[in-house]
Amino acid sequence: MSNLIDQILTPEVRMVLYLMLACVVMLYVLSIVYVIRDAQRRGAEPWWLWAIISVIPIVGLLAYVILRPSSYLVDREEQDLDIALRKHQLAHYGICPKCGTPIDKDFIVCPNCNTQVRNVCPTCHRPLNADWKVCPYCRTRIQ
């Protein structure tokens, strides 16, 4: 039996087996590094827990891929900034104090309930904010 194993495991076959084993170990180590770096980029809390899970071969990597956060931390921050920008843009429009209908910043009356929402310049007839002392369009003083 030992003679048969020696005939099968020639130095060339052993070298191929060692190279295959080295590739498997390298892929395993790279999968752990991937999990750690990806968990940090995705803002997974705590990221070290994902590193421990990845130590279990194949099952840990599959568990991480299934359970990891769906988007990167940078993408979530960008989405939050986009939402804040949209809220800021909507704040320039406003709503009618009487009926709550969204109104444009140039509206003088609410198109839904006909409530006056802004003052009008007596000279150029443009909408003005209530706290303005001078019309910014024609320099007319407002009482």
Side-chain angles (χ1 to χ4, degrees):
M1 183 73 166
S2 133
N3 191 16
L4 180 64
I5 292 175
D6 287 339
Q7 287 178 353
I8 293 174
L9 293 178
T10 63
E12 294 82 16
V13 172
R14 285 184 185 175
M15 180 61 81
V16 169
L17 289 176
Y18 290 146
L19 285 174
M20 288 175 53
L21 181 65
C23 287
V24 168
V25 169
M26 179 110 50
L27 285 173
Y28 176 62
V29 170
L30 287 175
S31 72
I32 293 173
V33 170
Y34 165 76
V35 167
I36 291 171
R37 293 190 69 201
D38 190 61
Q40 287 174 336
R41 278 185 289 181
R42 291 180 185 271
E45 295 292 335
W47 63 267
W48 53 268
L49 183 63
W50 296 110
I52 293 172
I53 289 175
S54 70
V55 171
I56 303 168
I58 300 173
V59 175
L61 182 63
L62 288 174
Y64 172 73
V65 169
I66 292 170
L67 299 174
R68 69 183 177 181
S70 61
S71 62
Y72 290 117
L73 183 62
V74 173
D75 293 336
R76 288 194 303 268
E77 289 172 353
E78 186 176 339
Q79 289 171 351
D80 291 341
L81 286 174
D82 188 41
I83 289 170
L85 175 65
R86 289 176 192 258
K87 284 182 181 178
H88 180 71
Q89 288 172 341
L90 286 175
H92 285 292
Y93 290 99
I95 59 171
C96 174
K98 186 174 180 185
C99 68
T101 302
I103 54 172
D104 197 48
K105 63 181 179 180
D106 291 337
F107 287 0
I108 298 167
V109 295
C110 174
N112 191 34
C113 66
N114 201 24
T115 303
Q116 183 172 351
V117 291
R118 287 190 180 56
N119 295 329
V120 180
C121 175
T123 307
C124 67
H125 304 291
R126 288 197 164 170
L128 304 173
N129 286 351
D131 58 339
W132 288 353
K133 307 274 189 238
V134 176
C135 176
Y137 306 107
C138 67
R139 301 177 115 185
T140 301
R141 293 223 178 262
I142 308 298
Q143 269 77 348

